[in-house]
Structures are given as C-alpha cells and as structure tokens.
C-alpha cells in the first residue's frame, strides 16, 4: 500500500506538534503530502444555560483565528502542507476529512491521559483508532 496523503489533526498542543513533525518526516521518506487539520467545536445553539449564544460573527472570528494559527504553525516550520480548519465534532470531522482527502494514514498526538481525566475529557485519538477505516499512527506526547 502506497501512502500518498497523510492527515494530521491538531489541537495546537505540544503532542499535536510532535505528531506534525513526525508526519512531515514520514512524508518526506514516502514522498507523501501532509494535510494539517484543526477542528473548532462549535455548539449548534450556544450554551443557553450560561447565557451564551454563538453568533455568525463569533463563528467567523473563531475560524479566522484558528486559520491564522494553523497557517503560522505550518509556515514557521516551513512545511509544504495543506492547512485546514473545519467546525463540528472533532471525531466526526477528522474521519470525514480523511475520507474527502482520500488520506492513506492519520497521524495524531495523544496525551496519554488515564483514569478520571480520561473519563471526563474522553479521547479523540482512541475513538479515531477504533473507528477509522484507514491506519492511525498515534504519537504520544513527551512527559
């Protein structure tokens, strides 16, 4: 199986940045293209219990800010990558984007949380590993 498209989801954490670097090194050896994705989790109706509603200008601002951060991340590292910003549930968006790009591999960082913090925060990486139709390589963050 030839790997020509690698998708790297990022949440801008240190372990996500390590995953990007790993994917770029791997892509150079395989002559593959890297697509870096960040997902903005926008509640569809805001958070009325907190008196917060999400307006179109707020969403536009979130998307713009995240695109700028992603562009900076890839430009600062001189990565010849595609930087994508999408909105929605990270788990769904990562899998949808992998399908759209015809990705051959997903490389993503994992925080390696255990116990109550993992139960409360969930694990996007674990869910992607369990449900992805394509191989997933996880890069554990350094402690």
């Amino acid at each position: 199986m030839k790997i020509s498209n690698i998708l790297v989801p990022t949440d801008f954490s240190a372990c996500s940045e390590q995953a990007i670097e790993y994917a770029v090194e791997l892509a150079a050896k395989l002559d593959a293209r890297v697509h870096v994705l960040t997902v903005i989790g926008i509640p569809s109706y805001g958070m009325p219990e907190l008196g917060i509603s999400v307006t179109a200008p707020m969403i536009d601002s979130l998307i713009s800010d995240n695109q700028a951060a992603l562009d900076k991340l890839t430009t600062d590292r001189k990565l010849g990558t595609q930087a994508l910003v999408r909105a929605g549930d990270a788990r769904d968006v990562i899998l949808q984007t992998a399908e759209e790009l015809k990705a051959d591999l997903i490389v993503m960082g994992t925080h390696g949380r255990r116990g109550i913090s993992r139960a409360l925060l969930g694990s996007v990486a674990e869910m992607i590993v369990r449900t992805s139709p394509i191989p997933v390589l996880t890069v554990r963050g350094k402690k």
Side-chain angles (χ1 to χ4, degrees), residues 42-74:
I42 301 173
S44 55
Y45 299 103
M47 293 178 271
E49 64 277 3
L50 299 176
I52 299 171
S53 63
V54 180
T55 63
M58 290 171 66
I59 293 170
D60 291 344
S61 177
L62 279 170
I63 291 171
S64 176
D65 292 348
N66 275 271
Q67 186 68 58
L70 195 57
D71 290 342
K72 181 174 177 12
L73 178 76
T74 56

Side-chain angles (χ1 to χ4, degrees), residues 3-125:
I3 295 176
S4 55
N5 283 306
I6 300 173
L7 176 63
V8 187
T10 182
D11 60 3
F12 301 105
S13 65
C15 67
S16 288
E17 291 188 26
Q18 291 170 339
I20 292 169
E21 291 175 18
Y22 195 96
V24 168
E25 287 181 33
L26 184 61
K29 293 176 180 166
L30 299 173
D31 193 30
R33 180 153 189 210
V34 175
H35 308 271
V36 181
L37 167 71
T38 192
V39 181
I40 304 167
I42 301 173
S44 55
Y45 299 103
M47 293 178 271
E49 64 277 3
L50 299 176
I52 299 171
S53 63
V54 180
T55 63
M58 290 171 66
I59 293 170
D60 291 344
S61 177
L62 279 170
I63 291 171
S64 176
D65 292 348
N66 275 271
Q67 186 68 58
L70 195 57
D71 290 342
K72 181 174 177 12
L73 178 76
T74 56
T75 302
D76 285 353
R77 288 180 167 76
K78 296 181 173 60
L79 305 178
T81 61
Q82 181 180 14
L84 305 165
V85 176
R86 304 276 168 88
D89 180 85
R91 295 162 182 91
D92 296 333
V93 172
I94 291 167
L95 294 173
Q96 289 168 354
T97 303
E99 185 178 338
E100 289 169 16
L101 297 172
K102 296 181 178 27
D104 305 299
L105 176 68
I106 298 172
V107 176
M108 60 191 308
T110 181
H111 298 280
R113 291 188 182 102
R114 297 185 186 273
I116 194 73
S117 66
R118 185 182 161 279
L120 292 174
L121 297 172
S123 173
V124 173

